[in-house]
Amino acid sequence: MSRKPLIAGNWKMNTSIAEAEHLAQAIVRASADLQNREVMIAPPYISLAAVADILADSEVILAAQNICWAEKGAFTGEISPPMLKDIGCRMAIVGHSERRHLFGENDAMINKRISGAMEHGIIPVFCIGETLAEREADNTMKILEDQVRHGLKDISITDAGSIVIAYEPVWAIGTGKTATTKQVQEVHHFLRNLMERLYEKNIASEIRILYGGSVNATNVDELMAQPDVDGALVGGAALDAGSFERIINFQ
Ligand code: PEP
């Protein structure tokens, strides 16, 4: 089964509304003739409406940087799946390491967010990753397996294949340190096998596994050449139109 590569830009807490519009326009232009790959961008919530208008006639996918599990109610500061659908989001990042480490989100919460997104037809980009201490203690695969098992608890086989997993080693995010292609391929292969153990072969071969962690215009080609790397989740380099254009045009 061939998996369509996905390049996803996470703008984090950057850009004014005007800057977001400008960047989105540049990305629409840059992706107009792309074939056989998908491009997703996740602007800050306050820019979603403005960016949705700009993406309207393009193939670029609008995403949120997080998503609540509930449809509405007393959840101050959260945004619900129907609200995100209303504004045009087709995907949502869930479990980003900054949410886990700076805002205390745990696996149970992340699992609820994934379920909530799937119930409303929003595809979660489910982020997992080990810290440097966990890697140095040789615990990487165990940590990742726990994150996947808990994050995907009770997610049905029908839904599992459409989820996107993003492997983002915490030590490589925003640090300029990229995992080696060997480390990335080893983890992605492990994750694909894990999906086969948790679900079945078809799910394992259809699920897209992205790498994230200091992906840039220079290292993207080598990363994308790995057999189990189906795309990239890009932070810093997604804020520069020229760099992101080069990344979406990976060879
Ligand atoms: C991210 O935000 O998911 C990320 C990978 O950031 P950066 O590309 O800046 O490391």
Side-chain angles (χ1 to χ4, degrees), residues 40-157:
M40 179 208 100
I41 53 177
Y45 287 123
I46 61 151
S47 296
L48 285 174
V51 171
D53 283 345
I54 291 163
L55 303 190
D57 294 324
S58 81
E59 302 285 316
V60 179
I61 298 166
L62 185 65
Q65 293 179 18
N66 207 348
I67 185 167
C68 190
W69 50 86
E71 290 190 2
K72 61 179 181 175
F75 296 90
T76 303
E78 292 283 327
I79 312 281
S80 76
M83 291 170 181
L84 293 175
K85 270 193 97 167
D86 208 13
I87 216 162
C89 288
R90 288 193 275 149
M91 303 181 99
I93 298 171
V94 177
H96 191 277
S97 79
E98 285 145 21
R99 297 303 318 171
R100 292 176 189 263
H101 295 283
L102 299 176
F103 298 96
E105 291 199 17
N106 60 29
D107 288 329
M109 228 182 256
I110 289 160
N111 172 247
K112 291 209 291 186
R113 293 187 190 280
I114 292 174
S115 301
M118 293 306 300
E119 269 167 38
H120 292 272
I122 293 182
I123 295 177
V125 177
F126 168 37
C127 303
I128 55 171
E130 82 286 2
T131 62
L132 188 58
E134 288 161 347
R135 177 162 280 271
E136 285 175 350
D138 231 357
N139 269 337
T140 300
M141 303 310 186
K142 174 170 184 334
I143 294 290
L144 296 175
E145 177 158 347
D146 283 353
Q147 289 176 351
V148 171
R149 281 182 182 275
H150 290 121
L152 297 187
K153 185 169 165 286
D154 299 330
I155 299 296
S156 72
I157 198 158

Side-chain angles (χ1 to χ4, degrees), residues 10 12 96 168 172-174 212-215 233-236:
N10 173 15
K12 310 193 186 192
H96 191 277
E168 300 207 300
I173 298 180
S214 300
V215 174
L233 180 52
V234 186

